[in-house]
Amino acid sequence: MSGYRIFVYFTPDELPATRSLTQSCAVVIDVLRASTTVATALKNGCKEIVPVETVDQAFSLAGTFDRQNVLLCGERKGHKVAGFDLGNSPREYSKRTVENKTIILTTTNGTRALLKAKKAEKCFVLSLINLSSVRKMFSENAADVHIICAGREGDYSLEDTFCAGSLIRELQVYHSGRLVRGNQQAVHAIELAEKYNDSYLEVLQQSEHGKYLESIGYEKDLIFCARRNAIPIVPIYKNGKIICERKTEHQT
Ligand code: MLT
């Protein structure tokens, strides 16, 4: 039986320690908001994004750069970290702010998920705003796919799982000749995507983190993060940095 397999993990900790990703393709999802921020920053011309786990690591790494060429970015509990240049609202990452800069990024869940996937042969960063662009990468990949949802503080997240299911649905549609087999989490993710279909904003508004972000004044971020295929680029994480692997033609 031909065809690659798709494994979805609701949180980074679900990825078995014994699972080697070196021969596989990984996809990291943090719709609210790290992967949306990553796609936006790259689209607006940042040089690269370096994910780190802790705030201290971010400060010490920034110290190795010429300060004018680097931006300290990220959040804790959704708010910009004291002393950082930017928080994690993708709306902060304008061309004027990020162009040609190295971005050092640490977030509560998203950067942890990225670091889990750093050994993958290929690791793409997926959000709702670049979904079809990332999907196109799989027509060139025959390896198993491991989709790692950032989740929320160690728990399942509706929005990341929905995004994973939406990607798999597109793969099934576009690669119907190739049998896509998956784990139980992948089956659930597809069912979620079929349930909500294109109601992206509704998913974000119903999610725990979406409600939290609204409660601390970031309701506009939900609208920004729900814009289907608004940013047709493919961020790839390799050698410890996230860069723009490809810009695809604008999706309808
Ligand atoms: C995360 O790391 O889960 C998110 O990026 C947190 C946020 O931006 O609110």
Side-chain angles (χ1 to χ4, degrees), residues 30 32-35 75 77-79 88-89 107-111 150-152 209 212-213:
D30 185 5
L32 291 174
R33 302 167 286 183
S35 48
E75 58 66 45
K77 299 197 181 304
H79 295 289
N88 196 32
S89 168
T107 69
T108 311
N109 308 283
T111 44
R152 188 166 191 251
H209 197 52
Y212 172 71
L213 287 172

mmCIF file of all heavy atoms in Angstrom, residues 30 32-35 75 77-79 88-89 107-111 150-152 209 212-213, ligand 1:
data_model
loop_
_atom_site.group_PDB
_atom_site.id
_atom_site.type_symbol
_atom_site.label_atom_id
_atom_site.label_comp_id
_atom_site.label_asym_id
_atom_site.label_seq_id
_atom_site.Cartn_x
_atom_site.Cartn_y
_atom_site.Cartn_z
ATOM 1 N N ASP A 30 1.200 26.637 15.648
ATOM 2 C CA ASP A 30 0.788 27.437 16.809
ATOM 3 C C ASP A 30 0.006 28.629 16.262
ATOM 4 O O ASP A 30 0.534 29.738 16.130
ATOM 5 C CB ASP A 30 1.997 27.895 17.626
ATOM 6 C CG ASP A 30 1.538 28.628 18.894
ATOM 7 O OD1 ASP A 30 0.312 28.682 19.162
ATOM 8 O OD2 ASP A 30 2.394 29.177 19.607
ATOM 9 N N LEU A 32 -2.354 30.506 17.338
ATOM 10 C CA LEU A 32 -2.483 31.690 18.204
ATOM 11 C C LEU A 32 -1.245 31.749 19.116
ATOM 12 O O LEU A 32 -1.288 31.267 20.247
ATOM 13 C CB LEU A 32 -3.767 31.617 19.031
ATOM 14 C CG LEU A 32 -5.064 31.751 18.281
ATOM 15 C CD1 LEU A 32 -6.247 31.511 19.225
ATOM 16 C CD2 LEU A 32 -5.194 33.092 17.614
ATOM 17 N N ARG A 33 -0.184 32.325 18.828
ATOM 18 C CA ARG A 33 -0.032 33.136 17.654
ATOM 19 C C ARG A 33 1.355 32.934 16.999
ATOM 20 O O ARG A 33 1.666 33.559 16.008
ATOM 21 C CB ARG A 33 -0.156 34.611 18.043
ATOM 22 C CG ARG A 33 -1.505 34.967 18.740
ATOM 23 C CD ARG A 33 -1.431 36.325 19.378
ATOM 24 N NE ARG A 33 -0.610 36.244 20.595
ATOM 25 C CZ ARG A 33 -0.424 37.288 21.405
ATOM 26 N NH1 ARG A 33 -0.934 38.471 21.134
ATOM 27 N NH2 ARG A 33 0.327 37.166 22.500
ATOM 28 N N ALA A 34 2.201 32.076 17.579
ATOM 29 C CA ALA A 34 3.614 32.060 17.156
ATOM 30 C C ALA A 34 3.790 31.734 15.677
ATOM 31 O O ALA A 34 4.573 32.403 14.993
ATOM 32 C CB ALA A 34 4.384 31.067 18.010
ATOM 33 N N SER A 35 3.078 30.703 15.146
ATOM 34 C CA SER A 35 3.357 30.383 13.733
ATOM 35 C C SER A 35 2.783 31.449 12.807
ATOM 36 O O SER A 35 3.300 31.683 11.724
ATOM 37 C CB SER A 35 2.850 28.978 13.383
ATOM 38 O OG SER A 35 1.550 28.746 13.816
ATOM 39 N N GLU A 75 6.425 36.380 24.227
ATOM 40 C CA GLU A 75 5.422 36.665 25.252
ATOM 41 C C GLU A 75 5.508 35.642 26.369
ATOM 42 O O GLU A 75 6.047 34.543 26.210
ATOM 43 C CB GLU A 75 4.019 36.625 24.636
ATOM 44 C CG GLU A 75 3.602 35.325 23.950
ATOM 45 C CD GLU A 75 3.442 34.105 24.856
ATOM 46 O OE1 GLU A 75 2.833 34.199 25.941
ATOM 47 O OE2 GLU A 75 3.972 33.049 24.472
ATOM 48 N N LYS A 77 2.279 34.503 29.042
ATOM 49 C CA LYS A 77 0.852 34.740 29.342
ATOM 50 C C LYS A 77 0.224 35.725 28.346
ATOM 51 O O LYS A 77 -0.662 36.519 28.697
ATOM 52 C CB LYS A 77 0.657 35.229 30.788
ATOM 53 C CG LYS A 77 1.144 34.203 31.836
ATOM 54 C CD LYS A 77 0.598 34.493 33.220
ATOM 55 C CE LYS A 77 1.109 33.487 34.238
ATOM 56 N NZ LYS A 77 0.814 32.065 33.853
ATOM 57 N N GLY A 78 0.742 35.716 27.121
ATOM 58 C CA GLY A 78 0.187 36.525 26.040
ATOM 59 C C GLY A 78 0.706 37.942 25.974
ATOM 60 O O GLY A 78 0.501 38.634 24.974
ATOM 61 N N HIS A 79 1.398 38.381 27.028
ATOM 62 C CA HIS A 79 1.897 39.769 27.063
ATOM 63 C C HIS A 79 3.380 39.832 26.680
ATOM 64 O O HIS A 79 4.131 38.880 26.932
ATOM 65 C CB HIS A 79 1.752 40.344 28.477
ATOM 66 C CG HIS A 79 0.329 40.492 28.939
ATOM 67 N ND1 HIS A 79 -0.537 41.447 28.427
ATOM 68 C CD2 HIS A 79 -0.383 39.782 29.849
ATOM 69 C CE1 HIS A 79 -1.714 41.325 29.023
ATOM 70 N NE2 HIS A 79 -1.649 40.326 29.880
ATOM 71 N N ASN A 88 4.083 39.067 20.979
ATOM 72 C CA ASN A 88 3.837 37.994 20.007
ATOM 73 C C ASN A 88 2.553 38.236 19.227
ATOM 74 O O ASN A 88 1.935 37.300 18.701
ATOM 75 C CB ASN A 88 3.761 36.642 20.724
ATOM 76 C CG ASN A 88 3.891 35.497 19.728
ATOM 77 O OD1 ASN A 88 4.570 35.606 18.723
ATOM 78 N ND2 ASN A 88 3.204 34.400 20.010
ATOM 79 N N SER A 89 2.170 39.499 19.129
ATOM 80 C CA SER A 89 1.047 39.816 18.241
ATOM 81 C C SER A 89 1.607 39.966 16.832
ATOM 82 O O SER A 89 2.479 40.820 16.606
ATOM 83 C CB SER A 89 0.369 41.129 18.638
ATOM 84 O OG SER A 89 -0.523 41.527 17.587
ATOM 85 N N THR A 107 8.219 31.961 23.115
ATOM 86 C CA THR A 107 6.804 32.038 23.490
ATOM 87 C C THR A 107 6.491 30.866 24.428
ATOM 88 O O THR A 107 7.299 29.953 24.617
ATOM 89 C CB THR A 107 5.873 31.956 22.250
ATOM 90 O OG1 THR A 107 5.934 30.627 21.699
ATOM 91 C CG2 THR A 107 6.295 32.960 21.176
ATOM 92 N N THR A 108 5.287 30.898 24.968
ATOM 93 C CA THR A 108 4.928 29.917 25.996
ATOM 94 C C THR A 108 4.933 28.494 25.455
ATOM 95 O O THR A 108 5.460 27.575 26.061
ATOM 96 C CB THR A 108 3.520 30.247 26.532
ATOM 97 O OG1 THR A 108 3.460 31.633 26.868
ATOM 98 C CG2 THR A 108 3.189 29.411 27.746
ATOM 99 N N ASN A 109 4.335 28.312 24.280
ATOM 100 C CA ASN A 109 4.184 26.952 23.741
ATOM 101 C C ASN A 109 4.836 26.776 22.366
ATOM 102 O O ASN A 109 5.386 25.732 22.059
ATOM 103 C CB ASN A 109 2.692 26.601 23.598
ATOM 104 C CG ASN A 109 1.922 26.842 24.881
ATOM 105 O OD1 ASN A 109 1.992 26.061 25.813
ATOM 106 N ND2 ASN A 109 1.204 27.967 24.968
ATOM 107 N N GLY A 110 4.731 27.806 21.526
ATOM 108 C CA GLY A 110 5.150 27.658 20.128
ATOM 109 C C GLY A 110 6.622 27.341 19.966
ATOM 110 O O GLY A 110 6.986 26.413 19.224
ATOM 111 N N THR A 111 7.474 28.040 20.690
ATOM 112 C CA THR A 111 8.912 27.791 20.499
ATOM 113 C C THR A 111 9.305 26.438 21.099
ATOM 114 O O THR A 111 10.192 25.764 20.589
ATOM 115 C CB THR A 111 9.751 28.945 21.111
ATOM 116 O OG1 THR A 111 9.243 29.307 22.395
ATOM 117 C CG2 THR A 111 9.685 30.152 20.184
ATOM 118 N N ALA A 150 1.270 22.997 19.023
ATOM 119 C CA ALA A 150 1.883 23.612 20.203
ATOM 120 C C ALA A 150 1.028 23.371 21.443
ATOM 121 O O ALA A 150 1.536 23.226 22.552
ATOM 122 C CB ALA A 150 2.075 25.104 19.984
ATOM 123 N N GLY A 151 -0.308 23.325 21.201
ATOM 124 C CA GLY A 151 -1.203 23.127 22.345
ATOM 125 C C GLY A 151 -1.192 24.352 23.252
ATOM 126 O O GLY A 151 -0.736 25.430 22.877
ATOM 127 N N ARG A 152 -1.683 24.161 24.460
ATOM 128 C CA ARG A 152 -1.752 25.275 25.417
ATOM 129 C C ARG A 152 -1.361 24.789 26.800
ATOM 130 O O ARG A 152 -2.099 24.078 27.453
ATOM 131 C CB ARG A 152 -3.167 25.869 25.448
ATOM 132 C CG ARG A 152 -3.277 27.136 26.264
ATOM 133 C CD ARG A 152 -4.566 27.858 26.010
ATOM 134 N NE ARG A 152 -4.507 29.184 26.601
ATOM 135 C CZ ARG A 152 -5.203 29.546 27.690
ATOM 136 N NH1 ARG A 152 -6.024 28.670 28.244
ATOM 137 N NH2 ARG A 152 -5.088 30.759 28.184
ATOM 138 N N HIS A 209 -7.599 29.540 24.154
ATOM 139 C CA HIS A 209 -6.606 30.615 24.073
ATOM 140 C C HIS A 209 -7.169 31.844 23.361
ATOM 141 O O HIS A 209 -6.815 32.975 23.686
ATOM 142 C CB HIS A 209 -5.325 30.137 23.373
ATOM 143 C CG HIS A 209 -4.153 31.049 23.631
ATOM 144 N ND1 HIS A 209 -3.766 31.431 24.897
ATOM 145 C CD2 HIS A 209 -3.293 31.663 22.790
ATOM 146 C CE1 HIS A 209 -2.735 32.245 24.819
ATOM 147 N NE2 HIS A 209 -2.435 32.403 23.551
ATOM 148 N N TYR A 212 -8.988 33.753 25.874
ATOM 149 C CA TYR A 212 -8.042 34.423 26.782
ATOM 150 C C TYR A 212 -7.446 35.666 26.117
ATOM 151 O O TYR A 212 -7.408 36.748 26.707
ATOM 152 C CB TYR A 212 -6.924 33.459 27.194
ATOM 153 C CG TYR A 212 -5.822 34.155 27.977
ATOM 154 C CD1 TYR A 212 -6.052 34.599 29.290
ATOM 155 C CD2 TYR A 212 -4.578 34.421 27.404
ATOM 156 C CE1 TYR A 212 -5.075 35.270 30.009
ATOM 157 C CE2 TYR A 212 -3.590 35.094 28.113
ATOM 158 C CZ TYR A 212 -3.835 35.514 29.404
ATOM 159 O OH TYR A 212 -2.855 36.189 30.111
ATOM 160 N N LEU A 213 -7.033 35.510 24.851
ATOM 161 C CA LEU A 213 -6.441 36.657 24.151
ATOM 162 C C LEU A 213 -7.456 37.799 24.045
ATOM 163 O O LEU A 213 -7.133 38.970 24.239
ATOM 164 C CB LEU A 213 -5.952 36.243 22.764
ATOM 165 C CG LEU A 213 -4.686 35.373 22.724
ATOM 166 C CD1 LEU A 213 -4.416 34.878 21.307
ATOM 167 C CD2 LEU A 213 -3.474 36.138 23.250
HETATM 168 C C1 MLT B 1 2.056 30.188 22.347
HETATM 169 O O1 MLT B 1 3.272 30.096 22.424
HETATM 170 O O2 MLT B 1 1.264 29.311 22.661
HETATM 171 C C2 MLT B 1 1.454 31.440 21.854
HETATM 172 O O3 MLT B 1 2.293 31.969 20.929
HETATM 173 C C3 MLT B 1 1.112 32.326 23.012
HETATM 174 C C4 MLT B 1 0.600 33.679 22.566
HETATM 175 O O4 MLT B 1 1.147 34.258 21.626
HETATM 176 O O5 MLT B 1 -0.355 34.145 23.158
#
